[in-house]
Amino acid sequence: MTRTTGTTGTTGTTAETVPTPVGDARITWHHASGAHTVLAVSHGAGGGIEARDLRALAAALPPRGVSVALVEQPWRVAGKKVAPAPKTLDTGWRALWPALERRGLPVVAGGRSAGARVACRTGAELGARAVLALSFPLHPPGKPEKSRAEELLSTGLPTLVLQGGRDAFGRPGEFPALPEATELVEVPHGDHGFAVPKSADITEAEALAVITEAVGEWLTRLAGPAR
């Protein structure tokens, strides 16, 4: 059984703990009133749901009818500093998926970096509406020959990629030709965490606005005409 804490109702924020075979996961919900979609996003291997892009999405999307579920993988909930193998990450994600579907809304699977890879690998089998990949780690820094492009190319679902213009794990120009249902949006001057240098002609707030606007418009298109 899941355990829920925080405020209750259809708006505001709640948190729930979800048991999985690899330990307890945690979902922090940012609820939208009259939501039409759930966007579930997980963190990368080097950080948690406090990442700037995840916080920005959680703030910007509920007013647009999207409930945002920030997912903390079991290793992070347990306080470990090193992420486990991809297979273990996928196991935790699969096990918590029913909690994301419980509201009876379409669920978009998403994540940043390692979390994006999990969403790409499992989205179709879990019945996700689409996949959101934030800072997809196309290859390890300095090792373009070790490409992970196949994970992104084989989602089989509408996919949106947000990639920093100077991401050491893969700049937008390094990506191969993408399927018709996959869109790639560049965040100017952004690094792997979407930080921008002070010398850039764009502020961090403006960079984050590129992300929230692109994701918000994409989710609106996926949802179709308002009912």
Side-chain angles (χ1 to χ4, degrees), residues 10-11 51 60 75 78 92 106 153 158 163 166 221:
T10 58
T11 60
W75 69 272
L153 297 173
Q163 203 75 8
R166 59 188 184 97
R221 281 188 275 121

Side-chain angles (χ1 to χ4, degrees), residues 29-65:
W29 288 92
H30 295 260
H31 301 283
S33 178
H36 59 73
T37 301
V38 169
L39 171 64
V41 282
S42 190
H43 51 80
I49 61 170
E50 70 279 1
R52 58 175 61 82
D53 51 335
L54 302 188
R55 291 198 320 265
L57 291 170
L61 294 182
R64 302 178 75 148

Side-chain angles (χ1 to χ4, degrees), residues 54-129:
L54 302 188
R55 291 198 320 265
L57 291 170
L61 294 182
R64 302 178 75 148
V66 178
S67 288
V68 178
L70 300 183
V71 178
E72 293 175 86
Q73 279 268 8
W75 69 272
R76 183 79 180 179
V77 175
K80 297 178 182 176
K81 296 189 186 223
V82 179
K87 184 181 290 189
T88 302
L89 295 177
D90 291 355
T91 295
W93 185 254
R94 289 186 181 100
L96 62 84
W97 189 260
L100 300 168
E101 293 184 308
R102 194 178 304 124
R103 285 153 177 79
L105 297 171
V107 182
V108 173
R112 64 166 288 100
S113 196
R117 294 181 65 194
V118 173
C120 288
R121 289 192 299 259
T122 63
E125 70 175 87
L126 292 172
R129 172 67 182 86

